[in-house]
Amino acid sequence: ILNLFQNLRGIDSLKDKTRTGAPKKIKPQEEEMLLRLAAEKPLCATELLQVHLDNGGEQVHSETIRRMLKANEMSWKRTRHS
């Protein structure tokens, strides 16, 4: 059976194909601007989302902003209002 398999498909057919996933929702230029802003001022994800939308960015969820910050090793904390 092994010889039959190698003759028909070969071992290369067992290799995983690269997977890219869904395209990013935030453009690289917008991401750089948001990261720079987050480094300058401590804003929560919803505030950064509002800045993103005010600058003409595409509507995304605040969780998308939080994941972007986390991927760039920035800590995110919920802002407490007292």
Side-chain angles (χ1 to χ4, degrees), residues 15 17 20 33 46 49 59:
K15 293 181 182 175
K17 295 181 181 178
T20 58
M33 186 267 306
T46 53
L49 173 61
Q59 176 68 40

Side-chain angles (χ1 to χ4, degrees), residues 18-59:
T18 57
R19 298 175 193 244
T20 58
K24 288 191 171 190
K25 294 181 179 179
I26 299 176
K27 296 175 185 159
Q29 307 92 305
E30 296 169 340
E31 185 174 335
E32 287 177 25
M33 186 267 306
L34 289 171
L35 290 172
R36 195 171 37 249
L37 184 63
E40 292 171 6
K41 290 192 234 176
L43 298 173
C44 67
T46 53
E47 292 169 335
L48 279 173
L49 173 61
Q50 191 58 48
V51 170
H52 173 68
L53 295 174
D54 290 345
N55 289 330
E58 187 178 332
Q59 176 68 40

